[in-house]
């Protein structure tokens, strides 16, 4: 294929200087992500998966190495609204209604009121929150809040979604449900999604590619293709193909994890 | 099940009511008949309130009996300043215990209608306030407390009614001019400087120690200097208020602007939002509870500042001026009238700010 990768990192290094010495958060990261892929970053805490996502989002600057997002620098991509970022918590503003929360990035972009209204409607519809426009975030359940925050990320109409353990704080039943919804969303919107998680079933269920990372220093241990096809009902998780890939990921995590501490 | 349900307030009222029988008549101008009537009301109400009646019936009996007895007791003090004997105070204590029982019964009532709930929430503190006045009146006049030490509320009230012109002029001079102008300038400039200091860090680094020092200056020292700088009229008092209110606003706003979470700030960064957009859409709303804290603190500081500043030179009008001169002339009822005015103004000021806070920060976990 001749198309350029949407995200391309080459020999990325990131060292945090803290009060008591330096922390090698990312070491020699080289990774290409193609348009329309669903890539999961998985690994134990401290492996740098969130840091890598933050570097892509231009929330951290790498110490050395090269990275391009949408064929340009992460900073330019950020200012162009190339991605929508979903955090571990919904981070909705409690003084704004759900509709107003979705409108927040649109106000900052300076979109006219009509355009804002139609985007709010469309994206709340996409995450099944129609009818909750006038509610305040604290009147909604945790799962609904996180869906609202996904609608807010989508309202920017980015090419990419960067998601940092978005369902980590939710219980498993809600999580399963949102995973299925996210897959549907991915199928309808054709967006590139980079997804940070520490759940093996979640990574295998969602991804086309799984990046297994290991800590101290944070690095990529293995990249596993996950070709389960586009149609993935929830019970695919019982099939031998699914379990095989899950096993592969678990092995990768085990090899990458040093137990010498 | 017996038909009697004793409670300690009614029992104590019964005992004190019986004791009062040993001290008849209660005062020099109160006949034995009138004294006996008070005791009878108290005793009957105490017994009735121990029967198993509906709470509403109990409340009505207690309210009528305790306040009627109190009214008779205060009436019995006419031309009898300082002549009340121990029977009088026993009867007073008995009717006060009945009022206590009344408040207890009212607080235990359970209503579903919000109107009834709100009415009870207003009535209970009102009964408290009324009984403070009743006891104050009966004790000062019954025991003959010297007027200079503590005038009875009735003479303070009479003074308020006859001096509305003076009180209104003092109110305009001290509150409308000095407090309001000083408060608006002080809090607004404190807010603006905080926003600026937040934008340009060197300002914060340089200003905060200076502000700290100014805030630590004693008002006793500032007030005469302000009089020299800005003259005898209200401008110098407003200047004192500015100095007093500026710093709490500065510090609280800075703290509020720093209270935003990392995730929210990162979120705004992913949108490429500029400094002023982040300020308007995220950091100022987050800072609002802190800002209202400063507004409320400043409302009391401003009133204190303006009144005390008038002790240091003023035209012949103003609440502080009135207090300091009337103390010298032993007109304590006028001093108390000014104190009552200050209390009302201060409570209203604070209450309005608290109301505005509820409306603006409706989303805060403490209100929603």
């Amino acid at each position: 294929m001749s198309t350029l990768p949407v995200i391309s990192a080459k020999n990325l290094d990131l060292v945090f200087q803290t009060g008591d010495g330096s922390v090698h958060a990312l070491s020699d990261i080289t990774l290409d992500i193609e348009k329309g892929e669903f890539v999961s970053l998985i690994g134990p805490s401290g492996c740098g998966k969130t840091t890598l996502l933050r570097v892509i989002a231009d929330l951290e600057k790498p110490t050395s190495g090269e990275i391009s997002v949408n064929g340009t620098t992460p900073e330019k991509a950020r200012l162009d609204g190339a991605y929508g970022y979903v955090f571990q918590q919904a981070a909705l503003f409690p003084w704004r209604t759900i509709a107003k929360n979705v409108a927040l990035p649109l106000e900052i972009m300076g979109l006219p009121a009509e355009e804002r209204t139609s985007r709010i409607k469309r994206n709340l519809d996409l995450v099944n929150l129609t009818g909750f426009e006038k509610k305040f975030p604290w009147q909604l359940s945790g799962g609904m809040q996180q869906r609202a925050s996904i609608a807010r990320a989508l309202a920017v109409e980015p090419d990419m979604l960067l998601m940092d353990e978005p369902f980590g704080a939710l219980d498993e039943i809600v999580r399963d449900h949102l995973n299925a919804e996210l897959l549907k969303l991915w199928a309808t919107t054709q967006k590139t999604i980079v997804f940070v998680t520490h759940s093996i079933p979640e990574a295998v269920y969602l991804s086309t590619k799984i990046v297994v990372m290991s800590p101290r220093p944070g690095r990529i241990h293995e990249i596993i293709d996950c070709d389960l096809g586009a149609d993935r009902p929830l019970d695919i998780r019982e099939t031998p193909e699914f379990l095989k890939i899950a096993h592969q990921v678990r092995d990768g995590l085990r090899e990458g994890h040093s137990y010498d501490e | 099940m017996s038909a009697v349900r004793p409670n300690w307030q009614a029992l104590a009222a019964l005992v004190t009511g019986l004791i009062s029988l040993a001290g008849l008549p209660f005062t020099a101008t109160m006949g034995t008949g009138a004294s006996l009537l008070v005791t009878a009301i108290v005793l009957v109400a105490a017994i009735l309130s121990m029967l198993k009646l509906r709470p509403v019936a109990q409340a009505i009996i207690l309210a009528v009996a305790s306040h009627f007895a109190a009214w008779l007791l205060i009436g019995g003090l006419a031309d009898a300043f300082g002549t009340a004997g121990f029977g009088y105070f026993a009867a007073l204590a008995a009717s006060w215990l009945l009022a206590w029982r009344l408040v207890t019964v009212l607080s235990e009532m359970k209503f579903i209608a919000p109107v009834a709930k709100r009415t009870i929430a207003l009535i209970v503190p009102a009964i408290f306030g009324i009984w403070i006045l009743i006891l104050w009146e009966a004790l000062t006049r019954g025991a003959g407390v010297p007027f200079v030490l503590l005038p009875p509320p009735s003479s303070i009230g009479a003074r308020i009614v006859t001096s509305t012109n003076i009180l209104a002029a003092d109110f305009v001079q001290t509150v409308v001019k000095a407090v309001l102008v000083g408060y608006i300038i002080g809090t607004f400039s404190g807010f603006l400087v905080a926003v600026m200091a937040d934008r340009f860090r060197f300002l914060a680094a340089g200003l905060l120690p200076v502000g700290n020092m100014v805030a630590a200056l004693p008002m006793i020292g500032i007030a005469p200097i302000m009089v020299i700088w800005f003259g005898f009229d209200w401008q110098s008092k407003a200047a004192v208020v500015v100095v007093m209110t500026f710093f709490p606003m500065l510090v609280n706003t800075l703290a509020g602007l720093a209270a935003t979470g990392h995730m929210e700030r990162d979120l705004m960064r992913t949108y490429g939002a500029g400094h002023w957009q982040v300020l308007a859409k995220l950091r100022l709303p987050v800072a609002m509870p802190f800002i209202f804290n400063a507004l409320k603190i400043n409302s009391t500081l401003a009133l204190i500042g303006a009144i005390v500043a008038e002790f240091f030179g003023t035209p012949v009008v103003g609440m502080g001026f009135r207090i300091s001169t009337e103390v010298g002339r032993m007109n304590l009822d006028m001093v108390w009238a000014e104190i009552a005015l200050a209390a009302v103004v201060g409570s209203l000021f604070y209450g309005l700010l608290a109301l505005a806070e509820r409306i603006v920060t409706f989303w805060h976990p403490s209100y929603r």
Side-chain angles (χ1 to χ4, degrees):
Chain A
M1 286 233 277
S2 61
T3 50
L4 282 164
V6 187
I7 298 165
S8 174
K10 211 168 281 162
N11 312 113
L12 274 188
D13 254 60
L14 200 160
V15 180
F16 287 119
Q17 300 297 342
T18 63
D20 45 357
S22 56
V23 177
H24 209 157
L26 293 177
S27 163
D28 197 23
I29 301 282
T30 299
L31 177 69
D32 280 351
I33 296 174
E34 307 290 337
K35 189 170 169 48
E37 272 192 304
F38 197 126
V39 177
S40 283
L41 310 179
I42 191 169
S45 28
C47 73
K49 52 192 192 299
T50 294
T51 309
L52 177 55
L53 197 72
R54 290 174 63 85
V55 168
I56 296 169
D58 188 39
L59 295 174
E60 308 284 356
K61 300 261 189 244
T63 315
S64 67
E66 282 166 40
I67 177 161
S68 75
V69 177
N70 258 6
T72 168
T73 63
E75 184 175 9
K76 186 145 189 321
R78 171 172 67 86
L79 295 175
D80 288 348
Y83 66 81
Y85 200 103
V86 180
F87 291 86
Q88 285 168 7
Q89 264 105 50
L92 299 166
F93 294 179
W95 53 89
R96 285 176 169 246
T97 60
I98 294 300
K100 284 277 182 191
N101 264 290
V102 177
L104 174 70
L106 311 177
E107 289 169 16
I108 291 166
M109 289 160 73
L111 293 184
E114 285 164 45
E115 175 70 16
R116 290 207 300 259
T117 319
S118 76
R119 282 200 193 188
I120 291 165
K121 193 185 171 318
R122 194 162 59 230
N123 288 292
L124 281 179
D125 214 33
L126 218 49
V127 297
N128 289 326
L129 276 180
T130 306
F132 292 94
E133 290 86 351
K134 293 205 164 68
K135 294 272 184 224
F136 284 94
W138 29 274
Q139 296 169 321
L140 267 53
S141 69
M144 289 166 103
Q145 290 184 20
Q146 199 52 283
R147 280 189 348 232
S149 90
I150 292 172
R152 181 180 59 187
L154 288 172
V156 182
E157 301 193 343
D159 302 328
M160 278 180 281
L161 269 186
L162 306 180
M163 308 179 88
D164 182 9
E165 295 187 41
F167 310 136
L170 306 175
D171 67 65
E172 196 154 339
I173 299 159
V174 176
R175 194 176 179 148
D176 278 355
H177 176 67
L178 289 183
N179 278 340
E181 279 194 15
L182 181 60
L183 265 190
K184 227 182 293 167
L185 198 78
W186 176 60
T188 48
T189 57
Q190 301 281 312
K191 293 195 192 304
T192 312
I193 299 183
V194 186
F195 191 92
V196 168
T197 181
H198 51 228
S199 154
I200 297 171
E202 190 174 57
V204 180
Y205 176 67
L206 291 171
S207 319
T208 57
K209 199 152 109 184
I210 300 169
V211 178
V212 180
M213 299 182 69
S214 60
R216 280 172 291 274
R219 62 196 182 275
I220 294 178
H221 177 74
E222 190 181 3
I223 297 176
I224 298 168
D225 279 322
C226 184
D227 40 11
L228 292 172
D231 186 35
R232 302 182 185 188
L234 272 172
D235 31 1
I236 201 175
R237 294 177 301 181
E238 318 290 332
T239 62
E241 296 83 32
F242 185 96
L243 294 172
K244 199 177 129 235
I245 299 170
H247 198 79
Q248 223 179 324
V249 175
R250 180 163 289 122
D251 281 347
L253 284 171
R254 203 166 288 154
E255 287 164 27
H257 201 305
S258 46
Y259 287 99
D260 51 2
E261 55 216 287
Chain B
M1 292 270 287
S2 73
V4 184
R5 191 169 41 188
N7 60 77
W8 74 266
Q9 290 102 334
L11 285 174
L14 214 53
V15 172
T16 44
L18 290 172
I19 289 173
S20 75
L21 288 175
L24 293 169
F26 291 164
T27 69
T29 55
M30 205 170 172
T32 308
S35 304
L36 274 175
L37 178 61
V38 173
T39 307
I41 290 168
V42 170
L43 292 179
V44 169
I47 291 166
L48 283 179
S49 80
M50 283 192 282
L51 300 178
K52 287 212 157 164
L53 297 170
R54 289 177 43 226
V56 178
Q58 277 190 34
I60 291 171
I61 291 167
L62 287 168
V64 171
S66 61
H67 293 102
F68 188 52
W71 182 71
L72 286 176
L73 284 171
I74 287 173
L77 286 172
D79 302 322
F81 188 78
T83 63
F86 79 91
Y88 182 88
F89 294 111
L92 182 66
S95 43
W96 171 61
L97 283 162
L98 292 181
W100 188 337
R101 181 66 202 158
L102 168 63
V103 171
T104 313
V105 170
L106 286 176
S107 318
E108 281 169 0
M109 278 189 187
K110 289 189 175 53
F111 288 105
I112 299 154
V115 180
K117 271 186 195 165
R118 217 168 300 149
T119 314
I120 292 296
L122 285 177
I123 285 179
V124 169
I127 292 174
F128 253 99
I130 288 169
W131 272 89
I132 288 174
L133 293 180
I134 290 172
L135 293 177
W136 180 354
E137 179 80 19
L139 287 173
T140 46
R141 282 173 59 196
V145 175
F147 194 77
V148 177
L149 218 54
L150 185 64
S154 57
S155 52
I156 296 171
R159 176 59 95 163
I160 291 174
V161 173
T162 53
S163 323
T164 41
N165 286 342
I166 297 174
L167 287 170
D170 291 349
F171 171 79
V172 169
Q173 172 75 11
T174 305
V175 176
V176 178
K177 288 177 181 165
V179 170
L180 227 51
V181 171
Y183 181 83
I184 289 170
I185 295 175
T187 49
F188 199 67
S189 56
F191 174 78
L192 275 187
V193 171
V195 169
M196 282 299 143
D198 173 73
R199 179 73 188 88
F200 308 103
R201 294 314 303 188
F202 74 93
L203 263 180
L207 259 177
L208 274 180
V210 177
N212 249 318
M213 211 182 66
V214 173
L217 291 179
M219 191 175 58
I220 309 289
I222 299 172
I225 293 170
M226 291 300 162
V227 171
I228 294 169
W229 286 358
F230 298 103
F232 272 99
D233 210 351
W234 61 270
Q235 289 88 345
S236 57
K237 284 78 205 168
V240 171
V241 174
V242 169
V243 172
M244 289 186 78
T245 55
F246 174 82
F247 193 66
M249 192 57 165
L250 173 66
V251 173
N252 273 285
T253 307
L254 277 177
L257 290 175
T260 312
H262 283 289
M263 208 178 274
E264 284 78 6
R265 262 181 284 169
D266 279 346
L267 179 75
M268 294 303 270
R269 188 171 152 80
T270 67
Y271 300 145
H275 175 84
W276 300 109
Q277 277 176 321
V278 178
L279 190 72
K281 292 191 191 297
L282 171 63
R283 300 176 65 215
L284 277 183
V286 168
M288 272 307 156
F290 292 80
I291 291 171
F292 269 102
N293 233 345
L295 287 174
K296 289 194 289 187
I297 294 168
N298 280 350
S299 74
T300 43
L301 279 182
L303 205 56
I304 297 169
I307 290 174
V308 175
E310 285 180 7
F311 290 13
F312 298 92
T314 169
V316 290
V317 63
M319 293 163 74
F321 161 78
R322 196 77 53 204
I323 289 172
S324 59
T325 49
E326 298 297 329
V327 163
R329 294 159 66 181
M330 293 290 184
N331 285 334
L332 267 293
D333 52 349
M334 192 65 215
V335 174
W336 281 92
E338 294 284 354
I339 290 173
L341 176 62
V344 170
V345 168
S347 308
L348 277 181
F349 199 177
Y350 192 92
L352 281 176
L353 286 167
L355 194 69
E357 181 181 27
R358 275 194 86 102
I359 294 167
V360 173
T361 64
F362 68 93
W363 49 270
H364 197 262
S366 55
Y367 293 122
R368 70 196 185 203

